[in-house]
């Protein structure tokens, strides 16, 4: 997890950035005109640069609002306060699903001033104009004569149930010639173990076991692909469970993607 913070002072404006971390689409409008204006300014800038506009996400907005309230109570801006969860955790807890997440924060006097300052800072500009993001949640909370602003940006991940995830992976495995075992209980138990646990106590009798987390339920890790193409295995069991923090991920960090286990027989 990489974070960079930049703070500028002047004319009651401070801005800070958490750079992109390499983790339900809601089309409702922002809660008030100031928040809507900040989203509009973001999309105007992205459109002018030939980028796709970002879509409002109510779950991200809820996470952003909770953090903006904390900033207003503290009377200063910060990406994290003592006892507060970090950005990925609080966004995931609010119901957002994502594989990439970033955050801009500010204290200013208007949406235009906040947006202008972000655009003038290279890091904030790059964050806001990231072509990989597709959703946004914004909160603006007035206090102490200052408008405390939070904008959370994500690349969203489709929200699927564990059963839907298992079905997606099972379809991929079946397409590779494996027969799916109807009993997924063992794979689910193995999936739920901590990464340090090997699963010997489960007595699964599988010849190969693997678990991972990913934003794409249809993409298998290379190590698993290699085992399947070896031709040594005829059957497979698939289990899905809740993600474990940042987790052990194939291809990069995932904060609210999918956690999976595949057992080969």
């Amino acid at each position: 997890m990489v974070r960079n913070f930049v703070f500028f002072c002047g004319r009651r404006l401070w801005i800070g950035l958490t750079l992109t971390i390499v983790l339900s689409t809601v089309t409702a409008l922002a809660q008030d005109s100031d928040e809507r204006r900040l989203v509009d300014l973001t999309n105007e800038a992205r459109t002018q640069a030939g980028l796709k506009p970002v879509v409002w996400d109510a779950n991200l907005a809820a996470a952003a609002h909770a953090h903006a309230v904390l900033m207003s109570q503290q009377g200063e801006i910060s990406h994290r306060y003592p006892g507060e969860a970090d950005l990925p955790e609080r966004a995931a807890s609010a119901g957002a699903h994502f594989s990439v997440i970033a955050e801009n924060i500010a204290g200013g006097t208007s949406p235009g001033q906040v947006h202008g300052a972000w655009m003038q800072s290279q890091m904030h500009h790059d964050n806001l104009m990231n072509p990989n993001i597709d959703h946004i949640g914004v909160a603006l909370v007035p206090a102490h004569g200052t408008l405390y602003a939070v904008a959370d940006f994500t690349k969203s991940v489709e929200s699927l149930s564990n059963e839907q995830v298992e079905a997606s992976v099972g379809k991929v495995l079946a397409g590779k010639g494996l027969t799916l075992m109807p009993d997924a209980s063992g794979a689910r138990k193995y999936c739920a173990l901590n990464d340090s646990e090997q699963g010997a106590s489960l007595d699964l009798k599988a010849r190969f076991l693997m678990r991972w987390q990913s934003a794409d339920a249809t993409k298998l890790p290379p190590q698993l692909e290699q085992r399947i193409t070896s031709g040594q295995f005829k059957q497979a069991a698939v289990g899905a469970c809740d993600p474990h923090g940042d987790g052990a991920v194939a291809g990069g960090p995932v904060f609210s993607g999918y956690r999976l286990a595949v057992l080969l027989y």
Side-chain angles (χ1 to χ4, degrees):
M1 185 180 299
V2 179
R3 288 183 177 154
N4 290 288
F5 303 94
V6 178
F7 299 94
F8 297 88
C9 293
R11 297 169 57 190
R12 288 170 47 207
L13 178 67
W14 309 276
I15 55 179
L17 165 71
T18 296
L19 286 179
T20 300
I21 303 175
V22 185
L23 299 347
S24 68
T25 300
V26 180
T27 57
L29 293 175
Q31 291 293 316
D32 61 35
S33 59
D34 281 347
E35 292 171 348
R36 187 178 304 119
R37 178 59 179 157
L38 193 51
V39 174
D40 288 344
L41 289 169
T42 297
N43 281 330
E44 287 171 11
R46 289 177 64 87
T47 299
Q48 290 174 5
L51 299 173
K52 291 183 179 180
V54 288
V55 177
W56 179 260
D57 186 317
N59 295 321
L60 276 182
H65 183 265
H67 188 66
V69 169
L70 277 178
M71 291 200 304
S72 71
Q73 292 171 344
Q74 296 292 326
E76 60 181 10
I77 68 168
S78 173
H79 286 276
R80 189 179 186 184
Y81 296 98
E84 183 188 23
D86 64 10
L87 171 61
E89 184 178 351
R90 62 180 185 254
S93 296
H97 292 259
F98 51 90
S99 59
V100 174
I101 187 165
E103 179 176 84
N104 281 7
I105 58 176
T109 58
S110 70
Q113 185 188 30
V114 169
H115 175 77
W118 284 342
M119 291 296 288
Q120 291 170 16
S121 165
Q122 187 63 53
M123 288 186 294
H124 295 79
H125 171 276
D126 291 347
N127 196 19
L128 188 149
M129 303 291 279
N130 185 344
N132 294 318
I133 64 169
D134 53 24
H135 282 67
I136 188 173
V138 168
L140 296 171
V141 175
H144 318 295
T146 297
L147 197 61
Y148 291 90
V150 177
D152 289 340
F153 310 92
T154 64
K155 179 176 177 58
S156 65
V157 172
E158 185 179 9
S159 179
L160 300 175
S161 68
N162 287 343
E163 290 75 15
Q164 290 173 316
V165 174
E166 290 173 357
S168 295
V169 177
K171 184 177 180 179
V172 174
L173 295 175
K176 296 180 180 296
L178 293 171
T179 299
L180 294 180
M181 301 179 69
D183 185 1
S185 60
R188 290 170 182 164
K189 290 177 181 177
Y190 181 68
C191 178
L193 293 177
N194 293 327
D195 292 330
S196 59
E197 297 179 278
Q198 301 303 312
S201 62
L202 299 178
D203 193 28
L204 298 172
K205 295 183 171 39
R207 295 168 57 202
F208 179 78
L209 304 86
M210 186 171 188
R211 58 181 170 238
W212 72 98
Q213 289 183 199
S214 175
D216 186 348
T218 65
K219 185 176 181 179
L220 304 181
Q223 184 180 359
L224 181 57
E225 289 272 15
Q226 292 171 5
R227 294 290 182 138
I228 294 172
T229 56
S230 71
Q232 302 176 48
F233 307 98
K234 303 302 180 184
Q235 295 181 301
V238 182
C241 58
D242 294 336
H244 289 192
D246 290 356
V249 183
V254 167
F255 307 104
S256 62
Y258 312 113
R259 184 173 177 87
L260 295 142
V262 168
L263 313 183
L264 299 180
Y265 298 84

